[in-house]
């Protein structure tokens, strides 16, 4: 059977949206901390919200590689917009398999934005150990109660992929599709963070939130397997793509500054100075190493290699400590190389510097991922039995 062609995500339409809508608003989105609604709607109209939706649902049928390329491109333009789309793609990974035909069609047509609601107060960043509950609410409904610590696009997305303890079955987790306008949901304050200031990441409390039993995504009690097999690879790889996009943007800004800035007393550009070239080369090397690892991970997934799970876990650990750190180091290096000009808002260096640092906090934590990697390599289960 012939494999369908990959969607043309780099179409002129997509680039036009980035150039004409997302990039011009990036500084304002960051400065006032507002949700990039115009950019998200434009991406929906251009087919990007439905990029990973199956062709059966009416989407583009794109895969993880295409998603990673889109997130990388957007992250270099506006980190907040990229993070919103990243979390949407992670949610679509499970919704396109388990949600209703209507929801799947709305996503494919760019009319529905979703996000993950995994992290909770009480479990910290350990998404695999939810403390929120699910209980019968009459014959056909379920009552959900939880204190979600952070949800990207809180109050802005159309739905949440919501985790809870199982309803009736054994296991540690179940997943539900929860409309964001459901009764009992309360977004606790606007996000006012250091970086990614427009991604509307806020705590959300859910008190007696009633959803139909058909809102269950997959099988009751099997939510952890669903999260690990369907959601986590997208979340981890796309996080690395995000950091890579920020890094590449910073390197482009730095290279341009080195080429154009002249030292009049020496009649040379900064690019002609050995110290500046050395520093830039070091930063370029780190970015290229991350890209090589990202490519290796995508290839392992696409070819079904036995080491695919390990590579997926490693790429997020690399993103947390090397990719995000690389972006941060590149930003710091760009500031050092560019001097005082880097601190001016119009250069875009300091905004991307803050976004790079903010991306570090995305769970699972680096320590947990290192433990997971060690378990995989030593033939141990990822989680101890309760």
């Amino acid at each position: 059977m012939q494999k369908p062609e990959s969607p043309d995500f780099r179409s002129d339409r997509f680039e036009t949206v980035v150039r004409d809508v997302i990039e011009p608003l990036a500084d304002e989105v960051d400065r006032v901390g507002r949700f990039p609604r115009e950019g998200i709607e434009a991406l929906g109209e251009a087919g990007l919200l439905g990029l990973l939706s199956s062709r059966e649902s009416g989407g583009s049928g794109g895969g993880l590689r295409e998603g990673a390329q889109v997130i990388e491109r957007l992250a270099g333009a506006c980190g907040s917009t990229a993070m919103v789309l990243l979390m949407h793609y992670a949610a679509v990974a499970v919704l396109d398999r388990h949600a209703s035909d209507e929801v799947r069609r709305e996503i494919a047509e760019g009319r529905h934005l979703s996000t993950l609601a995994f992290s909770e107060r009480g479990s910290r960043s350990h998404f695999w150990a939810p403390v929120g509950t699910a209980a019968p609410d009459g014959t056909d409904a379920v009552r959900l109660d939880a204190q979600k610590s952070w949800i990207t696009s809180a109050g802005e997305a159309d739905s949440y992929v919501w985790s809870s303890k199982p309803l009736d079955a054994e296991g540690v987790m179940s997943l539900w599709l929860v409309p964001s306008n459901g009764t009992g949901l309360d977004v606790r304050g606007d996000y006012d963070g250091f970086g990614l200031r427009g991604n509307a990441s806020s705590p959300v409390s859910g008190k007696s939130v009633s959803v139909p039993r058909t809102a269950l995504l997959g099988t009751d009690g099997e939510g952890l397997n669903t999260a690990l097999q369907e959601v986590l690879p997208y979340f981890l790889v796309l996080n690395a793509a995000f950091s890579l996009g920020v890094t590449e943007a910073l390197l482009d800004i730095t290279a341009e500054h080195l080429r154009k800035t002249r030292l009049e007393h020496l009649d040379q550009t900064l690019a002609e100075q050995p110290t500046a070239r050395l520093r830039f080369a070091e930063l370029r090397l780190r970015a290229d190493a991350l890209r090589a690892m990202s490519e290796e991970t995508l290839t392992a997934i696409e070819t079904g290699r036995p080491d695919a799970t390990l590579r997926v876990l490693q790429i997020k650990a690399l993103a947390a400590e090397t990719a995000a750190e690389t972006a941060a180091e590149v930003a710091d290096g760009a500031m050092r190389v560019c001097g005082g000009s880097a601190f001016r808002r119009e250069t875009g260096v300091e905004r991307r510097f803050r976004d790079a640092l903010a991306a570090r906090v995305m769970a699972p934590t680096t320590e947990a991922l290192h433990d997971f990697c060690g378990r995989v390599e030593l033939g141990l289960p990822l989680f101890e039995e309760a």
Side-chain angles (χ1 to χ4, degrees):
M1 181 177 178
Q2 186 176 5
K3 182 179 178 181
E5 294 182 1
S6 297
D8 183 17
F9 71 92
R10 286 195 183 280
S11 65
D12 291 341
R13 192 176 182 190
F14 171 51
E15 290 298 332
T16 298
V17 169
V18 175
R19 184 184 66 249
D20 294 348
V21 181
I22 294 173
E23 286 182 329
L25 289 174
D27 285 335
E28 180 186 345
V29 165
D30 174 75
R31 186 174 63 256
V32 301
R34 74 172 180 85
F35 190 75
R37 175 59 60 185
E38 301 94 332
I40 296 301
E41 290 180 350
L43 288 170
E45 293 172 1
L48 272 298
L49 292 188
L51 175 69
L52 304 189
S53 295
S54 63
R55 296 182 186 273
E56 294 76 13
S57 301
S60 299
L64 184 53
R65 181 179 293 274
E66 288 79 22
Q69 291 169 329
V70 167
I71 295 301
E72 179 184 336
R73 174 71 179 94
L74 288 176
C78 175
S80 294
T81 303
M83 187 56 67
V84 168
L85 189 63
L86 187 163
M87 298 301 283
H88 171 76
Y89 282 166
V92 170
V94 61
L95 292 178
D96 197 59
R97 296 191 181 191
H98 302 292
S100 68
D101 290 344
E102 180 182 3
V103 170
R104 294 168 63 198
R105 185 169 57 254
E106 288 177 353
I107 293 172
E109 294 175 354
R111 298 185 289 112
H112 186 115
L113 178 70
S114 194
T115 191
L116 300 181
F118 283 5
S119 62
E120 295 184 1
R121 254 172 51 191
S123 65
R124 300 182 65 191
S125 58
H126 298 171
F127 74 90
W128 55 91
V131 295
T133 59
D137 186 18
T139 305
D140 300 321
V142 174
R143 185 181 70 251
L144 301 174
D145 291 275
Q147 295 289 330
K148 298 296 180 179
S149 54
W150 296 103
I151 298 180
T152 298
S153 306
E156 300 286 352
D158 297 291
S159 66
Y160 306 134
V161 175
W162 187 280
S163 62
S164 75
K165 290 183 178 180
L167 177 63
D168 299 309
E170 296 293 326
V172 296
M173 182 192 294
S174 291
L175 298 178
W176 310 87
L177 178 63
V178 177
S180 63
N181 61 357
T183 302
L185 291 174
D186 182 25
V187 179
R188 298 295 182 94
D190 295 330
Y191 177 63
D192 187 16
F194 178 73
L196 301 176
R197 288 175 44 76
N199 77 151
S201 184
S202 295
V204 176
S205 67
K207 185 175 182 181
S208 298
V209 180
S210 183
V211 296
R213 285 179 178 260
T214 55
L216 179 66
L217 300 171
T219 304
D220 187 30
E222 292 295 318
L224 180 58
N225 289 334
T226 301
L228 292 176
Q229 295 170 14
E230 299 176 16
V231 179
L232 203 61
Y234 280 79
F235 178 78
L236 299 181
V237 172
L238 295 180
N239 262 278
F242 175 93
S243 292
L244 187 56
V246 175
T247 297
E248 291 290 359
L250 287 166
L251 283 171
D252 287 345
I253 293 171
T254 303
E256 185 73 5
H257 179 78
L258 293 178
R259 295 188 191 103
K260 288 187 173 181
T261 303
R262 296 193 63 81
L263 301 173
E264 297 298 340
H265 65 292
L266 296 176
D267 194 26
Q268 289 182 333
T269 64
L270 282 175
E272 296 175 282
Q273 295 294 301
T275 301
R277 290 198 304 272
L278 174 64
R279 181 59 176 160
F280 181 80
E282 291 173 345
L283 299 175
R284 179 73 264 173
L285 180 61
R286 295 199 62 153
D288 288 346
L290 171 60
R291 184 174 296 282
M293 182 60 179
S294 297
E295 177 65 28
E296 173 75 2
T297 301
L298 288 166
T299 300
I301 295 170
E302 292 167 346
T303 59
R305 281 182 3 205
D307 64 339
T309 298
L310 177 61
R311 297 294 174 236
V312 167
L313 294 169
Q314 287 176 330
I315 194 62
K316 175 55 169 69
L318 193 67
E321 289 303 311
T322 303
E325 184 175 315
T326 296
E329 183 169 326
V330 168
D332 179 62
M335 287 184 170
R336 291 173 184 270
V337 171
C338 296
S341 64
F343 292 89
R344 296 200 304 267
R345 277 188 176 273
E346 62 266 25
T347 67
V349 172
E350 62 89 24
R351 168 166 60 84
R352 292 175 174 91
F353 175 73
R354 289 184 285 102
D355 286 349
L357 293 179
R360 285 181 172 180
V361 305
M362 304 297 288
T365 62
T366 303
E367 291 77 10
L369 285 166
H370 285 168
D371 181 51
F372 292 163
C373 291
R375 286 174 174 274
V376 170
E377 292 188 278
L378 295 173
L380 300 173
L382 282 183
F383 302 97
E384 299 289 351
E385 293 187 9

